[in-house]
Amino acid sequence: MTDAAIDGLDVIDGLELLICGLDSHGTIHVFNRPCERLTGISRSDAAGRSWLDLFAPGERGDHVVAMWHQARPDAPTGPYEALCTNSRSIRWHFCRWDRGRIPGVVLWAVGIDLTRDREALVRVREVERVVALGNLVSGLTHELRNPLNGALLQLALAERSLARSRDEAVAPAAAAIEHASVEIRRISTLLDDFLVVVRPQPIRLERCDVRALAERALDRGQPKATAAGVSIALEPSSEAIAAVDGSRIETAVFQLLANAIDAAAESADREVRVRVRALGNAVAIEVEDHGAGLPSDAPIFEPFYTTKQGGTGLGLAIVQRVADDHGGRIHHEQRPGATVFRLELPITGGVAS
């Protein structure tokens, strides 16, 4: 092999393209480094093997050979798309170049790994489907909320009318109206929570003191805690600054807090504690209660899974969505006598580690 040919092989080793040099029968004589990385086969093992066996399995060999015959130095043929043995998607073009610089090589197969592009396209289509679903749910929720509000108004008027009556015979009707009102409010809450889960929401990052966001969530949860006879407290700590969407983090902490209050209300230790601390390159928010806990194998972050009577099963799904959108994580841990949910958020960009 000439020095020029050796220099040429060094050049194709440095390219990101997949390049194979073939003889007239499709036997491999040149197999560059990207081909080695893609297939896991060394060039010494690939040499002498049929290109068709490696990259055109099945009954498509005749199609490839036909393209080889059509190839000219000034007119490459292709594309030929194939799924490699390791599930990589490759697009190949073929060019005839028989100047004799590399002994035996008369045909070049040049491939591009399209796997990442295809995966990106799948993700884009998935996002488009989610956006379409979110828009559908938004419209449906709007259409349902109006008649529900109208029904609540009519029930409230009927309840006032019955309250003015001194006839004990209307008591069952009043109880039925109250029950119906409670169920309609529950449906309205379910629609609102479901909308948060499925509707795409942009992340508006800004530098925030995550401890201050937790304090605001505790303020929102205080009326619920008081009604349940549960005490809630934020443990002392220094400020924890991170680039987050403040309103969505506050909502996530409130959801965790609401679940903890419900659990604590049924326990002997009716206390919920919240901690905010730095954890490596992340800020961790922990919500701890001393309730009965949850099954270790329960799909607690799946939408509509709930262990509470009348619960929507969407609170933890909302927290999971907020964590994912921030590149963070949500953990559930059972400790002796306690249940702890920990929301980890990257301080800035990337994924919490």
Side-chain angles (χ1 to χ4, degrees), residues 259-261 263-264 271-273 287-293 337-341:
N259 281 354
I261 291 170
E271 181 184 48
V272 174
R273 303 194 68 81
V287 179
E288 177 180 312
D289 68 75
H290 300 277
T339 300
V340 178
F341 281 88

Side-chain angles (χ1 to χ4, degrees), residues 224-235:
K224 179 180 177 70
T226 301
V230 173
S231 66
I232 56 177
L234 177 62
E235 293 185 358

Side-chain angles (χ1 to χ4, degrees), residues 80-100:
Y80 165 74
E81 297 196 10
L83 195 63
C84 196
T85 53
N86 56 2
S87 298
R88 306 297 293 184
S89 182
I90 312 299
R91 176 180 292 165
W92 293 94
H93 291 265
F94 305 100
C95 180
R96 187 167 296 277
W97 189 261
D98 48 7
R99 300 286 181 88

